[in-house]
Amino acid sequence: MIAKPMLQALVPLVDDLTRELPDSERYRRLLQAVQALLPCDAVALLRLDGDCLVPLAVDGLSRDTLGRRFKIAEHPRLGLLLAAEGPMRIAADSPLPDPYDGLVEGVQGHLEVHDCMGCVVQVGEKPWGLLTLDAVGAERLSAVDLRDVQAFASLAGATVSVVQRMQGLALRAEDERQRADNYRALALEKSAPPVLIGLSPAHRQLLQEIASVGNSDLTVLVMGETGVGKELVAQALHAASKRAARPLVSLNCAALPETLVESELFGHVRGAFSGAVAERRGKFELADGGTLFLDEVGELPLAVQAKLLRVLQGGQLQRLGSDREHRVDVRVIAATNRDLAQEVRAGRFRADFYHRLSVYPLVVPPLRERGQDVLLLAGNFLEQNRSRLGLGSLRLDASARAALLAHDWPGNVRELEHLVSRSALKALAGLATRPRIVSLTAAHFDLPGQPASPAMALPEGAAPVPVSGDQAQPAALPDLRSSTDAHQRQRIADALVNSHHNWAAAARELGLHRANLVRLARRLGLDGQDEAIPR
């Protein structure tokens, strides 16, 4: 029998089920009630997603926890809780690592979780996820009645059901359910597209637009700075479409020499050019019935743009060296980090092709406009590196979180991903043994205005590196396009010096084809400078 104080606490939560509330507020009230009534330091609601558990709401855990995806096979405590038939408490002296080690907020020095319990959350007759409770002190949860945990887990399941019903998930049409089944079947054969992580208004707006245009056949032009995740957006658009069970074929237009672009796109017949020893289908035919993703579409030569325009208009193409018409049914998603409207005005991009591509323009916001999403994304990358490096826990201390929030991220999400991976290795450098919990500090990041990286991890209990107000302010930078162009000019000049002004060798050093390097050098205005550009 549930105690009277527990019943009194559950009544307002049950009443909330009939009220119109934001989803986040429903979950917040539920977890706050758990914290208030049960002696735990942290509580989390996790959704089951394939072989992972994804935090949906947390209380008492660091914000980056919301960006992590906990693989069940790598976290045995979560596996035990999922396998239990009801609420379960794991023994305080269990040697199994806890997924929240180092993530409980307000804890200095004592980072490991020593007491935890949880219960499967069911929606309908199926397991939906987990409700977990954790305490840093041993035996803190020993007096908790398992029936109380079950009551909160049941209420969590009811809350999730209400949220799903409010979102219309229970009222989807049969064809939409079939499309989801097809996509899940496809995901068993191929890896599912990465999840777009974030809670900021800018990111929510992006997700709404993806949901809006994803289920159509409109051509989408994905625009955004380098490193914002344009390819992930293209994958999300494909996954949300009626073509999700069909191929998604990608082509990086900047990685191909001009002489091969047409063959890659449209295919060729035997003998079409030197080296064409057999017929070959192009990307359009490979993507028939599905989606073709044209990355860096701003790099396409003008002549190829004209031929692409014909395919976009009528779905007809000819393989290189053939007069035979082929008809394809392909949805095109293009991406660029250039201002194509400006490229059109400069005569470097066809106006008719631009308008055909930008039927639905979709702008991916830069990371600096997404607020605390940087911590969620960092949490995702921390969990990936924790698994890769075989660590018990990889966490951020307060100075590291402040440094990440202060940085302006000219390289966006890709810069953050590389920074976390690099910093994790720096933190481990010089250690004879790997500690169970590794804390990253601001010093490990080597961001502008931060102290140099130490060659060791922060020991448990050590004071975090302080970040002063002056240090937290990034240095003034030129606009992204100018700094990127300047960096590219310098890299090209250095490569030419290293290769004794051999353009082919310089292209190999830079990982480019010679023709693409020459085109890039011309665009950057290197004509008339020290380096003579071949014609």
Side-chain angles (χ1 to χ4, degrees), residues 241-271:
S241 74
K242 299 174 183 177
R243 302 171 182 263
R246 302 294 296 168
L248 170 63
V249 178
S250 300
L251 178 65
N252 188 332
C253 302
L256 291 172
E258 188 171 344
T259 53
L260 293 181
V261 171
E262 193 172 344
S263 172
E264 282 291 322
L265 285 169
F266 310 126
H268 61 256
V269 298
R270 181 178 179 181

Side-chain angles (χ1 to χ4, degrees), residues 177-192 244-246:
R177 288 197 296 270
Q178 184 61 49
R179 185 170 67 254
D181 291 340
N182 290 341
Y183 176 66
R184 282 193 290 270
L186 181 66
L188 295 176
E189 301 173 10
K190 299 181 179 180
S191 59
R246 302 294 296 168

Side-chain angles (χ1 to χ4, degrees), residues 139-163:
E139 304 295 340
R140 280 276 305 280
L141 302 177
S142 59
V144 174
D145 191 328
L146 294 180
R147 291 173 297 180
D148 293 343
V149 179
Q150 180 65 71
F152 274 116
S154 299
L155 188 55
T159 302
V160 171
S161 296
V162 169
V163 170

Side-chain angles (χ1 to χ4, degrees), residues 196 203-216 232-241 331 360 362 364:
L196 295 171
H203 187 73
R204 289 181 184 273
Q205 175 63 31
L206 174 65
L207 295 181
Q208 289 175 3
E209 291 203 66
I210 290 173
S212 175
V213 72
N215 196 28
S216 73
L232 303 189
V233 170
Q235 292 174 1
L237 287 167
H238 176 71
S241 74
R331 182 192 192 180
Y360 195 103
L362 189 60
V364 184

Side-chain angles (χ1 to χ4, degrees), residues 3 22 60 71 89 155 159 175 218 223 267-268 296 317 367 387 451 462 486 503:
K71 291 186 177 181
R89 175 173 175 260
L155 188 55
T159 302
D175 62 329
L218 294 182
M223 299 174 289
H268 61 256
E296 303 291 352
L317 60 85
L367 186 53
S387 175
W503 283 80

